[in-house]
Amino acid sequence: MIHSGPVDIDRSGGRRYRLLGPVAVYQVGQPLPLGGPKPRTILAALLLEAGRVVPDERLIDLAWGETWPATVRGQLQTYVSGLRRTLGAGTIVRRPPGYLITVAPGELDLHDFDAAVVDAQRRTDAAVRADLLRRALADWPGPELSGTTGWLREAHGPALRERRLAVVEDRYEAELAAGRHAEVVAPLRQAVLAEPFRERLHAQLMLALHGCGRTAEALDVYAAVRSRLADDLGVDPGALLRRAYRLVIGADEPRLVRSTVTVPRQLPAPLPGFVGRARQLAALDAAVRPGSGTRIVVLTGTAGVGKTALAMRWAHAVRARFPDGQLHLDLRGFDPTGPAASPAEAVRSLLDAMQVPADRIPTGLDAQVGVYRSLLADRRVLVVLDNARDADQVRPLLPGSASCFTVVTSRADLTSIVAADGALPVPLDLLTTDEARDLLARRIGADRVRREQPAADEIVTASARLPLALAVVAARAAARPSFPLAALAAELRQHDRLDPFDGGAPRSDVRAVLATSYRTLDAPAAAMFRLLGLHPGPTVSAHAAASLAGVDVEAARRALVALTRAHLVDEPSPGRHGMHDLLRGYAAELARNHDDGAWRRAATGRLLDHYLHTALAADRWLNPQRDAITPAPPRDGARPEPVGDAHRAMEWFTREHPVLVALVLSTSAGFDAHRWQLAWTLVTYFDRQGHWDDYVAVHHAALGAAERDGGPLASAHAHRNLGRAYSRLQMLSDADTHLHRALELYGRAGEEAGAADVHGNLSWVLERGGRHADALHHARQAMLRYERIGDAAMTANARNTVGWQHAQLGELDEAFSHCRAALTLLRETGDRFGEAVTWDSLGYIHQRRGEPMEAVACYRRALELFREVGDLSNEGQTLSKLAGAYEVAGNEPAAHESRREALRIFDALGHPDAQKLRASGVAAADEG
C-alpha cells in the first residue's frame, strides 16, 4: 500500500531512505510518493547533510541550478511542505537559514554503508574483512542519486563515487592479503577498464597477476598504464605504481608483496549523535579543495567542546580523497589518565602504523622524522593528530608533502603552527541551544525530549551547551528510560555544579577533563582563573580582571591571554573575556578549595569598587545635572576604567550592564552599600535604553540593601528609582506608592533636590494616568524647589515639564512660553538631553496648533539630540509623534517610515506603547 498522506516515522526500522541507487523512501517495505526531480533533489540534499542545517540558497542551487524563477523561495517551501506531509511533520524542520532532516540509526543506506565499512576495517582477519566489504558494496547498487537533478549529481556524485571506489580498493587489498589472487584478477581487469587512471587499482591488478605467477601480464599492465598517463595526462606513474613495479620485477615472496600495498585506515569510528558545526565543516571542506593552498588545519576549543567528534565526522566524510591512507594518533596532550606522548613516541607510532619493519627504523628522532616524511612523499594521506599539547609536540609529525593533509585538535591555540606553518585555525565554541537540544534528542530520543521540553531545556542550560557534559547527562537519561527528565533536571539543580557531570571514567568526567587544562597554567594565570570564578559574567574586561587580582592592567592582560590560549576563557569580542557556566563553576570550586575567605572577600571588594566608580563616572557623563551620591573611595588595587566622554560612557554601560545587574542581584552579604549604589548608577542608562524588567529587579534588591545598610537617604533613592521603574512598565499604582514613600523620606532627611526630583517623577506618573491638572501641580513644585536650591539646569527642565502639562490641558500659549524659556536656559547650561525633551515639547505644541511643518522641524531636532545622547525610549516616542505630524502634512511615506522605526524601537525595549502603535494600519501592514 502506498501512503498518500502523513505517516509516522517508525524508529524500529520501518523507515528506509535510499541514496545509493534511485533516490527513494520506503515505509514498511513500500515506496512513498516523492514527486519529480526537484523534491527528490531537496530530500537527497538534506539526507546527505542529515543532522545539519542546509541553507535555502544551497537547496535552491541544487534543485534549480543557476537560473532561479522569481517565485523560487515559495516553490521551495511548497516542495518541503509536500515532503513533510509524506514523511511526517517532525522529520524535516525549519532551522534558519535553511532546513534540517533528522535520521535515526538504520534509516539511511549511506550511513549503514559507512558503518559496515568501519566494522569491516576493524577486523584483523583479511578474509573476514574482504567478505564484509564485499557485502557492504553489494548494498550500493548505483547509480547513486538517480532521479534527482543534474546539479545535485554534479555537486555530490563525484564524492560519493570516490567514496565507493575507496572501499572497492580496500576490498581488493583485503582479498590480496587473504591470498585470493586468482579470484580477483577478472574483477580487477573490469575495474581498471572502468577507471583507466586509478593507479591503486592498476597496482592491485599487477600484484594479483604476479601472485598467480603471471608476471609478464603484470608488467604489461604497468607498461599500458604508464603510457596512458604520459599520453593523456603528461605525468609519470605515482609512488604506489612504482612500488608495485619494483616488487613485481624483484620480489619472490608473496607475503612481502601483500604487505607493501597495505594502506593505513586508522580513523576511529565517528562518535554517535553528532550535530551542528556547519560553519566549521564548511571551513574544512574549503581547506581540502584543490588550489586552497591549505595543508594543515588546527581545530581549537575548550575541554569537552567536541573537537575530536568534529575531526572524526569530517575525516570519515572525506577519506575517499586520501586513497593512500588515513593516519590517526592520540597525542594525549591533555589526557587525565597519563602523560602526553613525546615526539619520539608519536613518530614511532606513525611508523608502526605504516608497517615499517623495526630493523629499518633509525634510532634518532630526526632520522625517524625523515623516514616518516619520506614514506608520505607523493602520497595522498590524511593525518589526524588528536589532543595535541603544544606546537613542539606537533611540528615533527607534520608531513613534508603538499599532497598530504593534516588535522590537529588541541585545547591550546597553537599560534606558532598557524604563523610559521601556515595552518588554518578553526575555533569551536559551545553548541547553540538548538544544536544542544538536537544532541540530547539523538542520544535519548526526540519523542522524549519533545514530551518534556521544559526539563530538556533546563538540562541544556545546566550543561552549559558543552557537548561532553550533555553526553554524560544523556547517558544517564538513556540508562533510565522510565525516569522523567524533570527528575534529572532537579538533580542537576540540587547537587554540586560539576558532580552530576561525572561519566564514571577520567575522560568522561568534566571536572577531571577541565583539571588537565588548569594544570598547564603558570601561577599568575592559575590565580586569575580561580578569581574569575568570583565574577558573575558573562564577560570581563582587563580593568575588571586587574581589580579582581589586585594587579596592574598589563599583568591582567597577560594572564587573560594565557587563559585564552589554554581555552579556559574565550574572547567573544576584542578585550572582553568570558567562560561558560561549568568553567565558572570549576573556577569557583578551585577558589573555595585553594584560597582563604579573606583573600576572596578582598578580591570581591576590589571588583565592586571597580564597577561602582567606573559606573559613577560614566553616569556623570550621561547626566551631568543629576545629583550625585558619594561612595567610599576605591580600595588599593581596584582599577576603575577611564570613560572619557558621553559616547564612550553609553558604550561602557551597554557592554557592562548585564554584569552590573548580576552584581546587584547576587553580591554576597556585607556589600549592601555597593548594591544600592550600583543600582543608582544604572538609572540614566535604563531610562534611555530600556531593560525595564532589570530596572525593577535591581531596585527591589537595592531597596533591601539600602534598608539594611544605607539609612533613610539611601532608602529614599531606592524607593524613587523603583517608582520610576514601575512607571516605565505602566504599573502606575506601584509607582505612585514608592514615589510618595521617597518624598516622605527625602523630606525627613531635608533633601530638597531629591524631593524636587520626586515631584518631577510624580508629574509624569499622573500624566500617564490622565490626571493632567495634578501633574501640572507637581511639575510646578519641582520647578520651585530647583529654583530655591539654585540649580539652573534642573529648573529649566522642570519649566519644560510645566509647559508640557499646560499643553496637555490645551493651554497652548502658556505652554509655548514656558518651553521657549526653558530652551534658552538649557542651551546656556549645555544640557543636550534637556534640549531634546524641550524640542519634543515644542513639536507637540506646534502640532496642537495646526502647524505640522513647524512640528516636523522641532521633532526632527529632538530626534537628532536624543540619538546623540543615546536615549532610545524618547527617540521612539518622538518618532511616533513625528509620524502624526507627517500624516497631517500629507507625507504618508514619511509617516509610515517613522511609525515603523518607532515600533522597532518599542519592540526592542519591551515598551508598553508598542501594542498601541502596532494598532496603526501602517505599522501592521509593514509587519505583514
Side-chain angles (χ1 to χ4, degrees):
M1 174 181 174
I2 297 177
H3 296 269
S4 59
V7 297
D8 292 328
I9 297 175
D10 183 350
R11 297 300 184 187
S12 65
R15 171 66 56 83
R16 186 70 173 164
Y17 297 100
R18 301 288 295 184
L19 293 178
L20 304 183
V23 171
V25 184
Y26 293 86
Q27 186 75 28
V28 198
Q30 298 297 320
L32 300 182
L34 298 178
K38 285 187 172 61
R40 289 176 187 271
T41 296
I42 293 165
L43 176 61
L46 293 170
L47 289 170
L48 286 164
E49 303 287 339
R52 290 156 55 185
V53 174
V54 183
D56 293 346
E57 287 74 11
R58 181 62 176 159
L59 294 172
I60 293 169
D61 277 338
L62 296 172
W64 280 267
E66 296 181 356
T67 305
W68 298 359
T71 59
V72 69
R73 293 188 183 276
Q75 292 184 46
L76 173 63
Q77 292 173 5
T78 299
Y79 285 133
V80 171
S81 295
L83 290 169
R84 282 172 167 165
R85 285 194 298 273
T86 299
L87 303 176
T91 306
I92 300 175
V93 295
R94 176 68 177 167
R95 290 284 168 77
Y99 294 92
L100 173 148
I101 192 168
T102 300
V103 175
E107 287 188 342
L108 180 60
D109 59 353
L110 181 58
H111 289 177
D112 287 352
F113 176 82
D114 288 341
V117 171
V118 169
D119 179 54
Q121 299 290 12
R122 290 176 177 153
R123 307 306 176 101
T124 57
D125 185 293
V128 173
R129 187 163 66 251
D131 292 342
L132 290 174
L133 290 173
R134 191 185 316 113
R135 289 178 203 163
L137 288 164
D139 289 330
W140 191 315
E144 54 280 322
L145 303 178
S146 58
T148 63
T149 64
W151 300 295
L152 177 78
R153 296 195 302 274
E154 181 180 345
H156 288 281
L160 285 174
R161 286 190 290 277
E162 179 69 28
R163 200 159 164 177
R164 181 181 181 279
L165 277 170
V167 177
V168 168
E169 292 170 338
D170 287 351
R171 174 238 165 155
Y172 287 129
E173 178 183 315
E175 302 276 19
L176 291 171
R180 299 170 179 171
H181 300 79
E183 290 93 327
V184 297
V185 168
L188 274 169
R189 283 197 185 276
Q190 293 297 319
V192 299
L193 286 173
E195 299 290 339
F197 300 106
R198 196 84 179 183
E199 294 187 39
R200 189 179 176 201
L201 287 173
H202 285 83
Q204 289 171 332
L205 177 56
M206 291 170 61
L207 294 172
L209 289 165
H210 179 64
C212 296
R214 299 159 64 178
T215 301
E217 291 178 68
L219 294 175
D220 287 342
V221 170
Y222 180 77
V225 71
R226 180 177 62 180
S227 176
R228 189 179 304 114
L229 290 169
D231 293 344
D232 294 355
L233 302 180
V235 298
D236 293 326
L240 196 62
L241 266 173
R242 294 198 304 271
R243 282 196 297 273
Y245 174 74
R246 288 195 298 270
L247 288 165
V248 168
I249 64 173
D252 58 2
E253 186 177 346
R255 184 191 59 78
L256 178 61
V257 174
R258 292 195 297 271
S259 68
T260 55
V261 296
T262 298
V263 175
R265 303 289 191 192
Q266 289 195 307
L267 294 179
L271 295 177
F274 182 88
V275 298
R277 305 305 192 195
R279 181 173 56 82
Q280 290 84 0
L281 286 164
L284 286 162
D285 288 343
V288 81
R289 290 190 189 112
S292 75
T294 302
R295 63 186 186 89
I296 307 167
V297 166
V298 176
L299 300 177
T300 58
T302 192
V305 82
K307 301 177 291 297
T308 298
L310 171 62
M312 292 305 104
R313 169 64 179 252
W314 181 80
H316 276 281
V318 301
R319 63 184 181 179
R321 294 175 178 263
F322 302 97
D324 295 322
Q326 301 93 43
L327 294 168
H328 173 268
L329 186 61
D330 182 357
L331 296 174
R332 306 193 307 274
F334 297 88
D335 193 324
T337 65
S342 68
E345 180 185 354
V347 172
R348 180 59 189 261
S349 295
L350 292 169
L351 292 175
D352 290 342
M354 291 184 285
Q355 297 189 0
V356 178
D359 59 0
R360 292 180 52 197
I361 299 177
T363 56
L365 174 61
D366 290 343
Q368 289 178 359
V369 170
V371 171
Y372 164 67
R373 288 177 175 159
S374 297
L375 288 170
L376 294 184
D378 301 322
R379 299 179 71 183
R380 282 178 290 164
V381 175
L382 175 64
V383 180
V384 180
L385 303 174
D386 200 11
N387 197 12
R389 188 177 186 88
D390 52 37
D392 290 340
Q393 188 190 34
V394 169
R395 190 164 281 113
L397 312 179
L398 298 175
S401 173
S403 61
C404 295
F405 194 87
T406 305
V407 177
V408 185
T409 75
S410 182
R411 300 185 203 177
D413 63 0
L414 303 186
T415 302
S416 66
I417 297 292
V418 174
D421 298 275
L424 173 71
V426 178
L428 271 71
D429 201 349
L430 301 172
L431 296 173
T432 67
T433 299
D434 284 343
E435 289 169 345
R437 194 182 292 124
D438 285 347
L439 188 152
L440 194 61
R442 282 171 176 254
R443 296 295 185 95
I444 67 173
D447 291 343
R448 191 174 177 190
V449 169
R450 192 162 42 248
R451 285 196 307 270
E452 294 194 69
Q453 189 71 61
D457 288 346
E458 188 174 351
I459 290 170
V460 165
T461 300
S463 302
R465 295 178 283 115
L466 184 71
L468 174 60
L470 275 165
V472 171
V473 177
R476 295 172 61 202
R480 300 171 177 83
S482 63
F483 280 28
L485 295 183
L488 186 55
E491 186 179 343
L492 296 179
R493 285 195 305 270
Q494 294 164 6
H495 285 75
D496 182 271
R497 184 76 186 175
L498 295 175
D499 284 351
F501 302 103
D502 181 354
R507 291 193 179 191
S508 60
D509 179 354
V510 171
R511 182 185 282 108
V513 168
L514 296 179
T516 59
S517 292
Y518 174 74
R519 287 195 292 267
T520 68
L521 302 175
D522 61 19
M528 180 63 78
F529 178 72
R530 298 195 304 272
L531 285 167
L532 289 175
L534 306 179
H535 190 279
T539 60
V540 63
S541 67
H543 280 79
S547 300
L548 257 177
V551 298
D552 62 65
V553 175
E554 285 308 310
R557 285 197 178 102
R558 287 193 296 272
L560 290 170
V561 166
L563 293 174
T564 303
R565 287 177 175 167
H567 284 96
L568 286 169
V569 302
D570 60 1
E571 190 174 9
S573 60
R576 306 290 303 178
H577 293 80
M579 55 174 61
H580 62 72
D581 287 346
L582 293 181
L583 269 171
R584 193 180 309 283
Y586 178 57
E589 178 183 288
L590 289 173
R592 290 192 301 272
N593 293 338
H594 288 77
D595 306 310
D596 65 43
W599 188 80
R600 299 196 306 272
R601 183 174 179 78
T604 300
R606 291 191 300 267
L607 181 73
L608 288 166
D609 283 347
H610 157 80
Y611 282 113
L612 176 59
H613 287 274
T614 308
L616 283 168
D619 183 67
R620 176 60 61 188
W621 277 108
L622 295 180
N623 193 353
Q625 283 74 38
R626 191 177 180 205
D627 190 29
I629 59 174
T630 307
R635 293 165 173 77
D636 289 342
R639 313 288 178 194
E641 195 166 340
V643 179
D645 57 40
H647 177 71
R648 280 183 283 182
M650 182 59 76
E651 286 184 337
W652 185 86
F653 270 119
T654 300
R655 288 193 306 268
E656 299 287 6
H657 98 266
V659 180
L660 300 176
V661 169
L663 287 171
V664 173
L665 298 181
S666 65
T667 296
S668 57
F671 291 102
D672 281 328
H674 286 86
R675 298 179 79 180
W676 73 259
Q677 289 164 356
L678 279 170
W680 186 94
T681 68
L682 280 161
V683 166
T684 304
Y685 173 75
F686 283 149
D687 279 340
R688 297 185 184 182
Q689 291 289 308
H691 308 287
W692 290 321
D693 288 330
D694 285 345
Y695 199 164
V696 170
V698 299
H699 282 96
H700 262 301
L703 181 58
E707 289 172 344
R708 285 190 299 272
D709 183 15
L713 192 56
S715 296
H717 291 325
H719 276 293
R720 180 200 168 213
N721 292 325
L722 189 52
R724 289 163 63 89
Y726 277 128
S727 69
R728 292 294 188 179
L729 290 172
Q730 286 286 74
M731 299 171 68
L732 302 183
S733 176
D734 291 315
D736 185 80
T737 298
H738 284 285
L739 289 172
H740 275 94
R741 177 60 176 154
L743 192 61
E744 177 189 343
L745 289 169
Y746 281 129
R748 198 182 298 170
E751 179 62 32
E752 189 81 353
D757 291 339
V758 175
H759 280 296
N761 300 145
L762 283 167
S763 175
W764 193 85
V765 169
L766 290 163
E767 177 202 327
R768 298 292 280 184
R771 297 165 58 187
H772 297 296
D774 292 335
L776 176 59
H777 165 74
H778 282 285
R780 284 178 175 149
Q781 286 296 313
M783 183 175 70
L784 293 172
R785 289 170 186 266
Y786 287 132
E787 283 177 344
R788 279 202 298 270
I789 61 177
D791 189 331
M794 291 307 297
T795 300
N797 276 285
R799 187 163 192 181
N800 169 65
T801 306
V802 169
W804 172 261
Q805 298 300 347
H806 276 298
Q808 301 303 304
L809 292 166
E811 299 160 358
L812 300 182
D813 289 341
E814 285 186 77
F816 190 81
S817 173
H818 279 292
C819 291
R820 288 298 302 179
L823 185 63
T824 300
L825 288 171
L826 289 163
R827 284 170 170 167
E828 291 174 0
T829 60
D831 183 351
R832 307 288 276 177
F833 172 75
E835 279 189 62
V837 175
T838 305
W839 278 113
D840 178 89
S841 299
L842 288 167
Y844 177 80
I845 294 165
H846 281 298
Q847 193 169 350
R848 290 285 300 272
R849 282 177 164 179
E851 300 164 349
M853 295 314 298
E854 289 83 351
V856 165
C858 292
Y859 286 142
R860 289 175 65 87
R861 179 58 180 152
L863 282 176
E864 290 175 13
L865 292 167
F866 282 135
R867 287 166 179 161
E868 179 184 317
V869 300
D871 191 328
L872 279 176
S873 178
N874 276 306
E875 181 185 343
Q877 293 178 69
T878 298
L879 279 164
S880 181
K881 286 179 273 192
L882 176 61
Y886 272 133
E887 200 165 42
V888 173
N891 191 341
E892 282 293 338
H896 173 86
E897 178 61 23
S898 296
R899 282 198 182 92
R900 186 193 66 79
E901 185 63 15
L903 183 59
R904 183 190 67 77
I905 291 173
F906 284 167
D907 280 340
L909 295 177
H911 198 291
D913 285 351
Q915 290 305 320
K916 181 171 65 178
L917 187 60
R918 188 171 276 105
S920 160
V922 176
D926 182 76
E927 285 192 303

